Amino acid sequence: DAALAGGRPDAAMAGGRPGLGAGAVVPAEMQAAPARALVQAAADNLGGRTDRYVWSQTKGEVRINFLVPAGTRSRDIRLKVEKTRIEIEIINSKYTLDGELAHPIEVDEDPADLDWEVLDPDSGASDCRWLRLTVTKHVPAGVVIWWDGIFSGDAKVDVSSFADRDSRGAAQMEANWKEAHELFRQRVASRQKISIDV
């Protein structure tokens, strides 16, 4: 269950960044620049940010904008997406990422179906680019799960603070249930007993 975009060289991904599974390595030239871009780029909605990416979500999808070196092109990227892991490697760069996801995702069998692109940050920063990856949450039909983070070990966000999270829906459902339960009790209490000869 993995989708691989752009092929994958034999070199293993290496590194040691906490919170990203086996690790992430960031080239020295990106150590200071990312902070400026991420300070200017707020999470779109219902998400968060770290020093390596900004993310947002809807009920069914998650969009992750990974910070990558300036000059990165789509053909430079080796991207492997599995149900519980994302691996990124950039050719001719020391940048690698190998992260275990905090929540499972749906994976297309055909790597060409991966939804990703490389673009300049909304902030207009010229010292980096975004690798934008959009994935579908793996949840049972009819269930909504708001993610509190992307990778295992990363800081979590408080999902109860999400403005679009409909807490009124749960309260309304409880009120409807109580009303229906009370109507049922009244109907049962008003029924006439029927005698059956055995």
Side-chain angles (χ1 to χ4, degrees), residues 7-177:
R8 171 126 164 91
D10 293 334
M13 292 191 182
R17 178 165 175 346
L20 293 177
V25 174
V26 180
E29 66 270 15
M30 287 188 62
Q31 295 297 329
R36 291 194 303 274
L38 286 175
V39 165
Q40 297 172 29
D44 295 339
N45 194 14
L46 309 175
R49 68 181 182 203
T50 71
D51 60 340
R52 306 280 20 110
Y53 59 88
V54 176
W55 65 280
S56 62
Q57 64 183 312
T58 64
K59 290 180 180 181
E61 291 185 334
V62 176
R63 174 177 284 172
I64 313 163
N65 291 317
F66 294 100
L67 191 63
V68 296
T72 300
R73 298 165 299 182
S74 296
R75 68 179 178 218
D76 299 330
I77 294 176
R78 300 297 177 252
L79 176 63
K80 182 177 181 183
V81 178
E82 299 175 347
K83 186 175 183 176
T84 59
R85 176 168 239 86
I86 294 174
E87 297 178 30
I88 302 169
E89 183 174 10
I90 300 177
I91 297 173
N92 299 324
S93 171
K94 296 177 184 174
Y95 180 101
T96 62
L97 180 142
D98 181 5
E100 180 183 350
L101 293 168
H103 305 276
I105 60 174
E106 297 291 336
V107 178
D108 293 314
E109 290 184 25
D110 185 357
D113 291 337
L114 281 175
D115 184 2
W116 68 281
E117 62 183 326
V118 178
L119 62 158
D120 294 323
D122 297 336
S123 65
S126 62
D127 51 3
C128 61
R129 298 197 79 193
W130 291 125
L131 162 57
R132 177 174 289 166
L133 173 65
T134 304
V135 296
T136 302
K137 297 176 181 178
H138 177 74
V139 294
V143 174
V144 175
I145 296 178
W146 294 109
W147 285 21
D148 57 1
I150 300 297
F151 293 104
S152 298
D154 277 354
K156 303 298 181 195
V157 296
D158 179 11
V159 297
S160 66
S161 67
F162 291 164
D164 286 356
R165 186 173 178 203
D166 189 4
S167 57
R168 295 167 304 180
Q172 184 62 48
M173 189 168 71
E174 184 176 351
N176 291 346
W177 173 255

